[in-house]
Amino acid sequence: MGRTGVSTVVLDAHDAHELAGFYRRLLGYEIRREEPDWVLIGPPPGTEGVSLAFETERAYVPPVWPTRLPGDQQMMLHLDIEVDDPEGETARAVAEGARLHEHQPQDDVRVLLDPSGHPFCLWVETPG
């Protein structure tokens, strides 16, 4: 088998550039490539991390999590972002445009919604 591997996670959004800017600021990533309706960001050279791309979808419908009603647009994936300071990073994410979700299922995880409504988690490694 030839070389295979996940290089990029792509998220649809109302505005690819707006969402790319949010995650670029949140993660300290840099822009790798831009087109009118598509943006690729990734970690700075010499650092690890998965690249993220964002595509403008004119008919975008934000996911609902947890799903409440039949027919709701379900969350199909979410990003887990490991942090050292969940409270500080939650405040920073909110200052950048995220919203804290009302449903918080775990003490060591904070569930937030990005500006396009995608759920993402800030989590801290706990001894176990």
Side-chain angles (χ1 to χ4, degrees), residues 8-92:
T8 307
V9 174
V10 182
L11 298 171
D12 290 348
H14 289 292
D15 182 327
H17 293 271
E18 175 189 48
L19 195 56
F22 169 77
Y23 281 105
R24 184 184 55 76
R25 292 185 307 273
L26 185 70
L27 300 172
Y29 276 19
E30 55 189 41
I31 294 174
R32 299 267 173 86
R33 205 164 125 206
E34 283 185 275
E35 296 176 12
D37 289 323
W38 189 82
V39 181
L40 174 68
I41 65 173
T47 60
E48 291 187 28
V50 173
S51 293
L52 298 174
F54 306 90
E55 186 169 16
T56 299
E57 172 57 57
R58 304 284 179 239
Y60 175 76
V61 176
V64 175
W65 178 87
T67 302
R68 293 184 176 100
L69 301 171
D72 281 349
Q73 174 63 48
Q74 295 182 17
M75 174 183 70
M76 299 177 122
L77 68 88
H78 69 276
L79 302 176
D80 281 347
I81 302 169
E82 185 175 6
V83 298
D84 292 331
D85 175 13
E87 288 76 27
E89 291 302 315
T90 296
R92 193 169 72 79

Side-chain angles (χ1 to χ4, degrees), residues 86-107:
E87 288 76 27
E89 291 302 315
T90 296
R92 193 169 72 79
V94 168
E96 292 293 350
R99 290 181 293 122
L100 188 63
H101 198 286
E102 65 273 3
H103 182 64
Q104 297 294 322
Q106 297 168 259
D107 290 337

